Amino acid sequence: MDFTGLVYSFVNILNEMSPYILLGFVIAGLLHVFVKPATMARHLSGNSWKPVLKAAAFGIPLPLCSCGVLPTAVSLRRQGASKAASTSFLIATPQTGVDSIAATYSLLGLPFAVIRPVAALVGAFAGGLAVGRFAPDAAAVDTDGASCPVTAPDERPRGFLARIVEAVRYGLVDMVASVGKWLVIGLVVAALITVLVPDSLFTGLSRYPLLAMLAVVAVAIPMYICATGSIPIALSLMLKGLSPGIAFVMLMAGPAANFASVMILRRTQGTRATAIYVGSVVLTAIAFGLVIDLLLPASWFVPAGAASGIASCHIELSWFDTLCSVLLAGLLIYSAIRGRAHSHIHDHIKDTAMTQTFKIEGMACAHCKATVEKALGALDGVTSVAVNLSDGTAVVEGDVPEAAVCKAIELAGFSVA
């Protein structure tokens, strides 16, 4: 293995993306602090086209991964959102986000950054309408869990400056913890593809674009990658000779149609709605990929990363990009250390008396972990909660019935094994 080339490729990709990723994280924090989910839910009831379109528009800028969006959608459902609107939200949200749109622009260029949210909007709108037509709500949304609220009272700071501080903290700490792991995986996979995969492998496949797109879908569904982490992989595929349309399928199908999320979605939305969800994601990605390859000028889709020599061993670093990369790396390291510290706290609580341990299925990121902790912490009688993402357990301390804990976990969008 050309280790030096691998390092050069990794550093070049990181430098191209880091300023935009950091900007996206900050904007994500602002959305989290200043936009309330309850406000969104008031606009998302009914199966008509308006709530479906609103749900897609709400979801596109939110930087949630495909697993993190599921509890959010469940919460919206409990607050009155229809199945059609929540499906639209589920399709649009993991495919985009302010962080991934900014990173897409930095590495793949403006056309990709524009077409990506447009494709997400079209696919989400079509999928939501299809669910409203073929798999509508059978009954009113379940709201009998009032005694086990999923969302704790709004504890966000009230002063403007305090909210700005909280937005930066959420974006640069919580969001980094949520998508950081998958971002690093995406960068490493992209660097490995760039260095190790021979160009001839993709040159032959590129002659059959539809077949190549179906192959990308087949790889993307069992794969877990966030919207931002898919960007360097798409770039590396283009640098190896695949067309922009094929790379676009990876950008859209990879974050939204992974196997783990589909399994959880089947339980919360039903089999028919899940089939419509997957079909909407795949068909929209392939349709827009074909439009990119067959109808739009190829000169629009020369990735910015190609000009910076990502695949070469020549590396030019600006001080600003380097500073952003160092900051992002520091935040990733801090989130990893913080996660291990929380695991140690979990182990300490586990050894004390008056505790119950629950095995939870469906958690896959820091957002899932935070959702479960908030749901359990809101129960009467709970004195402390420790959720361990690595082994999928929650340790609850306090005088609280087991049935109430299970109910809160299920209402949050997960299941108890």
Side-chain angles (χ1 to χ4, degrees):
M1 178 187 296
D2 183 2
F3 183 75
T4 302
L6 181 63
V7 172
Y8 282 150
S9 178
F10 181 88
V11 172
N12 265 307
I13 296 173
L14 178 63
N15 265 30
E16 287 289 336
M17 295 180 66
S18 57
Y20 297 91
I21 292 175
L22 292 173
L23 175 62
F25 282 149
V26 173
I27 296 175
L30 294 173
L31 288 172
H32 170 76
V33 170
F34 288 98
V35 179
K36 296 181 180 180
T39 302
M40 293 196 300
R42 285 199 297 269
H43 297 274
L44 304 184
S45 60
N47 293 315
S48 67
W49 66 270
K50 286 185 178 180
V52 170
L53 183 61
K54 288 179 180 179
F58 282 142
I60 284 174
L62 297 181
L64 294 176
C65 61
S66 57
C67 63
V69 71
L70 288 168
T72 305
V74 170
S75 177
L76 292 176
R77 286 273 288 155
R78 290 187 65 242
Q79 296 177 53
S82 65
K83 185 186 290 186
S86 62
T87 300
S88 177
F89 181 82
L90 283 165
I91 294 173
T93 306
Q95 293 181 327
T96 59
V98 288
D99 56 334
S100 62
I101 293 173
T104 301
Y105 171 73
S106 72
L107 211 58
L108 297 177
L110 181 61
F112 270 115
V114 172
I115 294 175
R116 191 174 190 182
V118 171
L121 180 64
V122 171
F125 185 65
L129 289 180
V131 167
R133 174 66 176 83
F134 299 106
D137 295 293
V141 178
D142 178 18
T143 58
D144 62 359
S147 61
C148 303
V150 172
T151 304
D154 193 353
E155 299 175 353
R156 292 178 292 187
R158 300 192 180 279
F160 179 78
L161 182 59
R163 288 194 172 196
I164 294 296
V165 172
E166 170 61 15
V168 173
R169 186 207 63 78
Y170 179 85
L172 298 184
V173 177
D174 293 348
M175 277 303 305
V176 171
S178 179
V179 306
K181 174 183 176 181
W182 309 110
L183 172 60
V184 172
I185 290 174
L187 291 170
V188 172
V189 170
L192 288 171
I193 292 174
T194 301
V195 174
L196 299 181
V197 177
D199 295 345
S200 58
L201 178 65
F202 293 101
T203 302
L205 192 60
S206 63
R207 293 198 294 266
Y208 308 97
L210 183 58
L211 178 62
M213 290 177 186
L214 292 174
V216 168
V217 170
V219 172
I221 288 179
M223 179 181 181
Y224 183 94
I225 195 71
C226 70
T228 303
S230 66
I231 299 168
I233 297 178
L235 172 63
S236 65
L237 293 177
M238 290 180 63
L239 294 178
K240 286 297 179 180
L242 286 182
S243 68
I246 298 171
F248 186 80
V249 173
M250 170 58 74
L251 283 177
M252 304 305 290
N258 68 82
F259 184 75
S261 296
V262 169
M263 291 296 98
I264 301 172
L265 186 63
R266 182 177 177 274
R267 179 176 60 82
T268 59
Q269 295 286 89
T271 301
R272 183 176 295 182
T274 302
I276 294 173
Y277 169 90
V278 175
S280 299
V281 171
V282 172
L283 292 178
T284 303
I286 292 178
F288 273 81
L290 292 174
V291 168
I292 289 173
D293 282 348
L294 301 179
L295 300 180
L296 300 181
S299 59
W300 286 10
F301 301 97
V302 177
S308 59
I310 286 177
S312 71
C313 290
H314 178 65
I315 188 167
E316 296 181 1
L317 304 178
S318 74
W319 68 268
F320 179 73
D321 291 346
T322 302
L323 181 63
C324 290
S325 296
V326 170
L327 176 58
L328 180 58
L331 292 170
L332 291 169
I333 293 171
Y334 171 75
S335 68
I337 295 173
R338 184 168 170 257
R340 294 191 64 180
H342 284 176
S343 295
H344 291 159
I345 295 173
H346 166 274
D347 293 337
H348 172 73
I349 296 176
K350 193 173 182 178
D351 292 335
T352 63
M354 300 297 294
T355 62
Q356 300 178 74
T357 302
F358 299 85
K359 182 70 175 179
I360 302 175
E361 295 179 344
M363 294 191 304
C365 71
H367 183 85
C368 301
K369 175 177 178 290
T371 300
V372 173
E373 286 178 340
K374 181 177 291 186
L376 298 181
L379 293 173
D380 292 335
V382 171
T383 57
S384 65
V385 177
V387 177
N388 191 322
L389 189 60
S390 61
D391 61 11
T393 59
V395 177
V396 180
E397 185 174 13
D399 184 14
V400 57
E402 178 182 340
V405 175
C406 294
K407 182 68 172 178
I409 292 173
E410 290 171 359
L411 289 175
F414 305 94
S415 59
V416 181

